[in-house]
């Protein structure tokens, strides 16, 4: 596939924003002054959501993606809709010749992922994904150090991404539905940790997961724990809770040192990170990383690539591996036992 744009040769690229709820509105605000990507039309089946988006963001709206693509000249489709709709919308966008940026999870299962990626490849367009935690400066620096071997042999990743924001959702929200968002803590926050673990440790071999509803009435769970093993022999322990005050933490243990990145606030409104390093030479040392909008960085890194800039760092192959791993985690959480990732990919 070529990274060259088919419709534009200079930014900002025009974008259709599909899904005008919480996260779609966040992206619209983020990109309102972007020199790289600019929403020109919004898509949502809800008349109320369309009215609010039109007033707040000053863009026309449509009830369906198909309608939007007849109303505006669109370079990129940014998908923030309920998870089950992603595959069909990716295919629609690709067949219209549009590049596609998809909020996590890319799809809920591997079959849909493969169909969507095949459509993208057949159309010769490009795909990005909302794994914005990869683009936090402290995470990028840690990833580079791990890849360079600075931490020594990597042995363990521990991570937690928990919050209580979903407590304010109405009980009929699709985000709390076992049909639309099975294993809710995974698709809400845990999937970011899965991506970070894969990026740091490589290809996973097996997963074990437990998802329970302990403090809420969420039908798709409010507490998730995951253990992953990797081809290198390293392991990852990941946790996500949807009924507790915010915590975000990533810790990587290497033979030479361990490093922890701790969020001060939810990354939706980041106020910086405390980065702690511990080596055999002395007591752990903590430095402060300033606030940074990694959501915008991810989107603009994708858009810049389409305009001929540096390659976007998350490949279709990595997207498929993360979906396969999440598929195995869901099977373990719903049905029990250790689930091999290789069998999901077979």
């Amino acid at each position: 596939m070529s990274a060259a744009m088919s419709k534009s040769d200079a930014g900002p690229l025009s974008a259709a924003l599909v899904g005008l709820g919480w996260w779609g509105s966040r992206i619209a605000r983020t990109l309102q002054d972007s020199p790289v990507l600019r929403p020109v039309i919004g898509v949502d089946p809800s008349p109320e959501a369309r009215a609010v988006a039109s007033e707040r963001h000053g863009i026309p709206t449509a009830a369906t993606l198909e309608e939007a693509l007849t109303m505006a000249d669109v370079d990129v489709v940014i998908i923030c809709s309920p998870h089950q709709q992603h595959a069909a919308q990716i295919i629609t966008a690709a067949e219209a010749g549009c590049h596609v940026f998809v909020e996590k999870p890319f799809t809920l299962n591997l079959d849909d992922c493969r169909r969507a990626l095949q459509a993208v490849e057949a159309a010769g367009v490009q795909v990005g994904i909302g794994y914005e935690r990869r683009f936090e400066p402290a995470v990028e620096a840690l990833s580079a150090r791990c890849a360079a071997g600075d931490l020594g042999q990597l042995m363990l990743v521990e991570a937690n991404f928990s919050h209580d924001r979903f407590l304010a959702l109405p009980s009929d929200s699709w985000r709390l539905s076992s049909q639309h968002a099975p294993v809710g803590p995974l698709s809400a926050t845990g999937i970011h940790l899965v991506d970070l673990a894969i990026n740091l440790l490589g290809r996973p071999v097996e997963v074990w997961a437990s998802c329970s509803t302990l403090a809420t009435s969420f039908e798709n769970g409010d507490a998730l724990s995951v253990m992953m093993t990797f081809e290198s022999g390293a392991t990852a322990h990941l946790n996500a809770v949807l009924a507790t005050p915010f915590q975000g933490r990533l810790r990587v243990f290497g033979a030479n040192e361990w490093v922890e990145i701790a969020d001060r606030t939810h990354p939706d409104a980041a106020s910086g990170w405390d980065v702690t390093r511990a080596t055999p030479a002395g007591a752990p040392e903590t430095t402060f990383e300033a606030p940074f909008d990694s959501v915008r960085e991810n989107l603009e890194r994708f858009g810049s690539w389409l305009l001929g800039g540096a390659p976007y760092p998350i490949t279709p192959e990595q997207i498929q591996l993360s979906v396969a791993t999440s598929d195995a985690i869901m099977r373990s959480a719903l049905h029990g036992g250790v689930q091999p990732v290789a069998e999901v990919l077979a």
Side-chain angles (χ1 to χ4, degrees):
M1 293 186 290
S2 170
M5 283 303 306
S6 59
K7 298 182 180 180
S8 301
D9 56 8
L13 305 173
S14 60
L17 185 56
V18 183
L20 301 175
W22 164 45
W23 199 248
S25 294
R26 163 69 159 90
I27 288 179
R29 295 193 307 272
T30 295
L31 295 179
Q32 63 184 354
D33 62 347
S34 172
V36 179
L37 276 170
R38 192 74 53 81
V40 298
I41 192 166
V43 179
D44 201 290
S46 165
E48 293 80 9
R50 295 199 302 273
V52 170
S54 182
E55 179 180 355
R56 287 182 179 174
H57 310 302
I59 56 175
T61 61
T64 68
L65 176 57
E66 291 84 353
E67 180 186 1
L69 293 175
T70 69
M71 294 171 57
D73 185 21
V74 173
D75 299 314
V76 182
V77 173
I78 301 173
I79 296 174
C80 309
S81 56
H83 313 326
Q84 284 192 328
Q85 300 173 18
H86 287 187
Q89 290 169 344
I90 294 165
I91 293 169
T92 295
E95 290 178 346
C98 299
H99 302 282
V100 194
F101 184 96
V102 188
E103 267 309 314
K104 55 78 184 169
F106 187 75
T107 60
L108 283 178
N109 60 69
L110 191 58
D111 288 342
D112 281 349
C113 176
R114 284 171 168 155
R115 288 194 303 110
L117 290 178
Q118 286 168 0
V120 165
E121 183 173 14
V125 296
Q126 304 291 353
V127 64
I129 188 166
Y131 288 153
E132 65 268 3
R133 307 229 56 172
R134 282 235 213 153
F135 296 83
E136 294 169 4
V139 171
E140 288 204 298
L142 175 58
S143 298
R145 294 192 67 225
C146 289
D150 293 353
L151 274 66
Q153 176 66 48
L154 300 181
M155 298 177 286
L156 174 66
V157 166
E158 287 182 349
N160 192 311
F161 188 178
S162 299
H163 63 66
D164 57 5
R165 291 186 167 200
F166 283 12
L167 296 179
L169 293 176
S171 59
D172 61 351
S173 169
W174 66 265
R175 295 182 184 277
L176 307 180
S177 164
S178 57
Q179 176 185 357
H180 296 289
V183 189
L186 175 63
S187 58
T189 58
I191 197 165
H192 286 294
L193 308 181
V194 171
D195 172 66
L196 291 176
I198 291 173
N199 185 47
L200 292 165
L201 298 180
R203 190 179 181 89
V205 177
E206 293 179 328
V207 303
W208 174 87
S210 173
C211 185
S212 303
T213 301
L214 300 175
T216 68
S217 58
F218 298 170
E219 66 178 47
N220 58 352
D222 59 24
L224 172 70
S225 291
V226 178
M227 180 174 178
M228 303 168 61
T229 60
F230 293 79
E231 287 182 345
S232 66
T235 58
H237 300 166
L238 314 177
N239 299 284
V241 179
L242 298 181
T244 194
F246 171 75
Q247 188 193 57
R249 176 178 54 81
L250 170 67
R251 184 180 288 188
V252 182
F253 293 85
N256 297 341
E257 65 178 272
W258 61 256
V259 177
E260 179 183 86
I261 302 170
D263 305 65
R264 290 195 171 182
T265 54
H266 192 287
D268 184 21
S271 60
W273 296 266
D274 294 305
V275 182
T276 303
R277 295 177 55 188
T279 69
E285 297 182 355
T286 300
T287 58
F288 175 68
E289 183 75 44
F292 181 81
D293 189 348
S294 60
V295 175
R296 177 165 174 158
E297 180 69 12
N298 186 6
L299 287 156
E300 290 191 338
R301 198 87 67 90
F302 180 66
S304 295
W305 176 47
L306 301 179
L307 292 167
Y312 184 69
I314 306 175
T315 66
E317 291 75 22
Q318 290 175 327
I319 291 172
Q320 179 168 295
L321 181 57
S322 70
V323 173
T325 305
S326 297
D327 198 327
I329 290 169
M330 283 193 286
R331 294 200 306 173
S332 179
L334 294 172
H335 307 299
V338 174
Q339 296 289 338
V341 176
E343 286 188 7
V344 177
L345 283 168

